[in-house]
Amino acid sequence: MLGKPFLLACSGGVDSIVLTHLCHHAELDFAIGHCNFQLRGPESDLDEVFVRDLAFGISKSFFSTRFKTMDYVEKNKVSVQIAARELRYQWFAEVMQENHIEILMTAHQADDNLETFMINLSRGTGIDGLTGIPEKTDTLARPLLPFTRSQILAYAKVENLAWREDNSNSDTKYLRNKIRHEIVHKLKELHPTFLENFKNTQQYIKGTSKLAALYIDQIRRAIFQHEDGITRISVASVLELEPLDTHLFALFKGYGFTEWNDVKSLLTAMSGKEVRSKTHRMVKDRDFLLLAEIKEENTKDYNISNDVEEIHTPIHLKVSQVLHVKETSKNVLYVAKETLKYPLTLRKWQKGDYFYPLGMKGKKKVSKFFKDEKMDAISKEKQWLLCSGDAIVWVVGKRADERFKVVQNTCEIVKFELKT
């Protein structure tokens, strides 16, 4: 990983200064990135100047930016610390992409890890939130994570390094600082080896988390059925899992759900009920839960004139005039051209729609057809109808209408082919 050029995040504090010092003396190839959050007036600007001078002094490329952090806080209704995190990581990603850098290195250390653990513990994030900050991912490296704040400070003093002090780190109005000064400090006083014991315990938690992930993955493979962007989950299979609440959390937390009472209630709800997260929806459909990513449904109507040979929106449909009826399938429709009124229309189904299913006598409501076909709620929303005026020609890919069929004396035949 470290054989490649990387971006080193440097605030000017002792942790990132030590990391910069170590990487420079190891003759590693890196650039320095600095974020000015403009939260401390002139002090923030002096931090930026300090890090810039450091970068130039060791002949490293320097990237910096300034954020209107408080504007972001107001607009997004988040805390200052969350705002700073979101802003910096988004900017780091942009710098890396623009400069073809694959890895970001940060100076997180063991005390940061403990504080993150305590924050997550207070928020009830589950076992994954207690595993701490990962030492490395595909795009991130945190080589100082095994070392404590006191060890890093001692090294900086031995090496006679200069760094910037951020006075806001002592302000206990911020949750992390409050935990650092009022909780972690007392835990260390009570037990001198507390931090080392914590590191050992966290290794056990990480191992347990991996075992739990393997178990949940096995359950998903057994009861999750994936098809056409929809995941079908047997309600009966879910209800067999004990303890139920724990399994629901583990199975669905990755999809952004947080209202666990609502998710649990869905298991016994009537068909059509649903629960949404910011990214996904889960719909009760008879004996199944349907899980799908939330996408803006296309409800527009689309016209097809008589000279159109192919469309790609909203579906891929080929239109041609043929002499004879040949192969037939659910994705191919032959109609008598003289029965059509142009322009044709592609639209979603509406309440009260009916058609005359090919091969049957009389009409049938589209909703009843869907029910007989055992179509789930999400598939119904995605279904397109090909219409001539007010009449349905084709429940696309499902069933043709009797009124438009090719008969013995049909002069012109139009072929519609759905491409999937």
Side-chain angles (χ1 to χ4, degrees):
M1 176 181 279
L2 296 183
K4 301 178 180 179
F6 58 90
L7 179 67
L8 192 154
C10 185
S11 66
V14 64
D15 298 337
S16 59
I17 290 299
V18 166
L19 181 59
T20 303
H21 174 83
L22 290 169
C23 291
H24 174 58
H25 280 269
E27 299 183 351
L28 300 179
D29 185 3
F30 64 97
I32 292 176
H34 176 81
C35 299
N36 184 342
F37 297 102
Q38 301 190 93
L39 294 172
R40 294 162 38 245
E43 288 298 309
S44 293
D45 297 337
L46 289 172
D47 290 349
E48 182 180 345
V49 171
F50 177 80
V51 177
R52 181 196 63 199
D53 291 346
L54 170 66
F56 292 165
I58 59 174
S59 301
K60 296 297 180 185
S61 298
F62 177 67
F63 302 96
S64 66
T65 190
R66 296 187 174 194
F67 296 118
K68 294 181 179 179
T69 309
M70 295 311 299
D71 289 351
Y72 187 92
V73 167
E74 285 294 318
K75 180 179 178 181
N76 295 279
K77 307 301 180 187
V78 295
S79 70
V80 171
Q81 290 184 314
I82 290 176
R85 174 183 171 81
E86 292 177 354
L87 286 167
R88 70 175 176 265
Y89 279 109
Q90 181 180 339
W91 179 71
F92 287 145
E94 291 170 359
V95 171
M96 291 164 68
Q97 183 176 11
E98 291 170 3
N99 294 276
H100 309 288
I101 298 172
E102 297 180 10
I103 299 162
L104 172 68
M105 186 178 288
T106 68
H108 290 92
Q109 30 82 353
D111 289 76
D112 294 323
N113 207 3
L114 173 58
E115 292 155 12
T116 298
F117 174 92
M118 299 298 292
I119 290 170
N120 290 340
L121 182 66
S122 70
R123 291 172 176 167
T125 55
I127 192 170
D128 286 349
L130 305 182
T131 58
I133 306 170
E135 283 192 42
K136 62 180 180 179
T137 68
D138 290 340
T139 57
L140 264 172
R142 299 181 175 101
L144 296 186
L145 211 53
F147 303 99
T148 67
R149 182 172 287 120
S150 60
Q151 288 174 322
I152 291 169
L153 183 60
Y155 178 86
K157 290 178 178 178
V158 167
E159 294 295 324
N160 199 28
L161 301 180
W163 64 87
R164 295 281 298 171
E165 290 288 356
D166 183 348
N167 292 329
S168 68
N169 285 333
S170 60
D171 190 342
T172 55
K173 74 178 181 181
Y174 299 119
L175 177 60
R176 181 175 290 274
N177 291 347
K178 195 173 187 68
I179 287 173
R180 177 182 304 165
H181 297 295
E182 297 183 6
I183 299 176
V184 172
H185 177 69
K186 292 186 181 300
L187 289 172
K188 289 180 179 179
E189 281 185 346
L190 288 170
H191 207 305
T193 60
F194 176 81
L195 190 53
E196 191 62 33
N197 294 342
F198 164 74
K199 287 162 65 176
N200 293 334
T201 299
Q202 196 164 62
Q203 288 302 313
Y204 300 140
I205 293 174
K206 287 179 180 178
T208 302
S209 178
K210 288 180 180 179
L211 289 175
L214 289 171
Y215 167 71
I216 291 300
D217 188 53
Q218 287 178 346
I219 293 177
R220 284 202 185 100
R221 287 201 300 268
I223 68 174
F224 283 29
Q225 302 170 10
H226 307 284
E227 186 177 356
D228 296 330
I230 300 173
T231 300
R232 292 168 59 86
I233 306 154
S234 164
V235 170
S237 297
V238 174
L239 287 171
E240 290 176 356
L241 301 172
E242 290 292 341
L244 180 58
D245 291 355
T246 304
H247 280 85
L248 290 176
F249 179 81
L251 287 169
F252 299 115
K253 64 179 177 177
Y255 301 100
F257 294 102
T258 56
E259 301 299 326
W260 297 108
N261 287 334
D262 292 344
V263 172
K264 188 176 181 179
S265 297
L266 203 61
L267 295 169
T268 53
M270 295 180 64
S271 287
K273 294 288 185 181
E274 71 173 84
V275 176
R276 292 188 173 223
S277 70
K278 290 183 179 180
T279 58
H280 287 77
R281 59 189 296 208
M282 190 150 51
V283 183
K284 177 69 178 298
D285 187 72
R286 296 183 288 274
D287 298 327
F288 290 88
L289 299 177
L290 307 178
L291 179 64
E293 188 178 351
I294 294 175
K295 295 179 180 178
E296 186 175 349
E297 284 297 328
N298 187 349
T299 57
K300 288 173 57 179
D301 294 353
Y302 294 83
N303 290 334
I304 302 176
S305 59
N306 61 357
D307 59 348
V308 167
E309 296 181 348
E310 188 171 14
I311 63 169
H312 292 272
T313 304
I315 55 176
H316 188 185
L317 199 64
K318 296 189 74 172
V319 186
S320 58
Q321 197 156 325
V322 297
L323 297 175
H324 307 286
V325 174
K326 293 183 180 180
E327 79 285 0
T328 59
S329 73
K330 286 188 174 183
N331 288 342
V332 177
L333 170 71
Y334 295 92
V335 300
K337 186 174 183 179
E338 58 264 30
T339 64
L340 300 176
K341 296 179 182 178
Y342 285 94
L344 305 178
T345 305
L346 273 170
R347 65 171 175 82
K348 293 292 180 70
W349 78 283
Q350 301 167 0
K351 188 175 181 180
D353 276 341
Y354 66 88
F355 73 124
Y356 293 77
L358 183 65
M360 291 179 58
K361 291 183 179 180
K363 65 183 181 181
K364 188 172 192 175
K365 281 192 172 182
V366 173
S367 58
K368 179 65 166 59
F369 172 75
F370 287 164
K371 184 176 180 180
D372 292 345
E373 289 286 301
K374 294 183 170 53
M375 289 178 64
D376 60 67
I378 297 177
S379 295
K380 292 176 188 177
E381 295 174 5
K382 294 181 177 181
Q383 182 62 53
W384 289 95
L385 306 178
L386 178 66
C387 302
S388 173
D390 294 330
I392 295 172
V393 179
W394 190 22
V395 181
V396 179
K398 299 289 184 184
R399 192 73 170 267
D401 188 290
E402 178 77 17
R403 295 168 292 177
F404 300 89
K405 71 178 181 180
V406 175
V407 294
Q408 191 171 1
N409 61 350
T410 296
C411 297
E412 295 181 285
I413 301 172
V414 179
K415 177 185 175 183
F416 296 89
E417 186 177 4
L418 176 66
K419 295 292 187 178
T420 57

